[in-house]
Amino acid sequence: MPRAIRQSPGGIVYHVLNRANGKQNIFPGLSDFKVFENILAEGLKKIPMRLTAYCVMSNHWHLLLWPYNDGDLSTFIHWITTTHTQRWHSIHNTVGTGHLYQGRFKSFPVQNESYYLTALRYIESNPLRAGLVKSSSDWLWSSLAIRKGIAKDGLTISAGPVELPDNWFGLVDILPGENDLKKIEHCICRGTPYGRDDWAQQTAKILQLTPTLKPRGRPKTQKGV
């Protein structure tokens, strides 16, 4: 069965994630992180896009994107992953050895208001949750480093649809609660819209994501029925 066409209207925030094939470390050195950030900067110049947050880890990355136009999300991510794959294989002398990424990127729409801020905190606190730093702002390869004032060779982040609180750096280190984490991880796995139930249902209908709201597997039947 052919895969469903991704629906990505402009004006909606999307949390996007992609992982390395076989969980391999595709950012083994500082230069590998810099190459990816440079590709992000190039992509933002080629395709009109608002990057409001990001975090690059050893074998995956997260982006929080707010596209202007319909279809720009897929175009942008396709260019980023294809360009990164080509340059990575060229730099590491592994051209022709296989896929760099495990498959198509994962994404889900995010509602404004507190849901946007929770998704942003989830992304920027990733290194802290992984135990790699004592404070989220210590990780160099994320949008929080840019907010801290670290220059990134042309890579910039845009303001999102929700203004950040003045104490944002402290809030990021207060990790999302267990329920929030489970809900976001479910959205990553299924592509379910992240927001209030009514908003999620309406958005899922518009974006043809209604199946993501339903439990996986066959419905349970009662004995004797």
Side-chain angles (χ1 to χ4, degrees), residues 15 17 19 60 62 106-108 110 118-119 122-123 125-126 129-130 175-195 212 216:
H15 182 154
L17 164 72
R19 296 185 183 277
H60 70 282
H62 296 263
K106 294 184 177 182
S107 68
F108 61 90
V110 178
T118 300
Y122 178 90
I123 290 172
S125 67
N126 206 328
R129 297 199 313 277
L175 302 180
E178 184 177 352
N179 289 337
D180 287 329
L181 287 174
K182 286 183 178 180
K183 190 169 184 178
I184 290 177
E185 288 164 1
H186 172 78
C187 292
I188 290 174
C189 181
R190 298 293 309 278
T192 306
Y194 178 58
T212 71
R216 280 180 169 168

Side-chain angles (χ1 to χ4, degrees), residues 4-21:
I5 299 174
R6 289 183 183 272
Q7 304 293 323
S8 54
I12 296 176
V13 174
Y14 299 88
H15 182 154
V16 183
L17 164 72
N18 211 346
R19 296 185 183 277
N21 190 32

Side-chain angles (χ1 to χ4, degrees), residues 36-113:
F36 184 77
E37 288 187 330
N38 288 340
I39 291 171
L40 276 180
E42 288 181 46
L44 292 173
K45 291 180 180 179
K46 289 180 177 291
I47 302 153
M49 178 63 65
R50 288 167 289 194
L51 171 67
T52 68
Y54 75 94
C55 185
V56 187
M57 302 292 282
S58 63
N59 61 10
H60 70 282
W61 43 258
H62 296 263
L63 307 178
L64 201 57
L65 299 173
W66 189 17
Y68 293 100
N69 304 308
D70 297 355
D72 282 353
L73 178 73
S74 294
T75 302
F76 180 80
I77 296 300
H78 180 264
W79 189 89
I80 293 296
T81 53
T82 300
T83 303
H84 184 225
T85 297
Q86 293 171 345
R87 293 186 187 175
W88 195 94
H89 282 309
S90 178
I91 291 170
H92 293 276
N93 297 315
T94 55
V95 175
T97 59
H99 299 289
L100 184 65
Y101 288 98
Q102 65 178 8
R104 296 202 306 174
F105 67 90
K106 294 184 177 182
S107 68
F108 61 90
V110 178
Q111 187 181 11
N112 296 347
E113 305 169 8

Side-chain angles (χ1 to χ4, degrees), residues 158-186:
S158 301
V162 181
E163 184 176 356
L164 300 187
D166 293 335
N167 59 338
W168 181 249
F169 286 90
L171 288 175
V172 175
D173 281 347
I174 301 174
L175 302 180
E178 184 177 352
N179 289 337
D180 287 329
L181 287 174
K182 286 183 178 180
K183 190 169 184 178
I184 290 177
E185 288 164 1
H186 172 78

Side-chain angles (χ1 to χ4, degrees), residues 143-159:
S143 47
L144 199 60
I146 296 179
R147 301 187 206 282
K148 192 177 179 180
I150 297 175
K152 291 290 186 175
D153 294 330
L155 178 59
T156 59
I157 52 176
S158 301

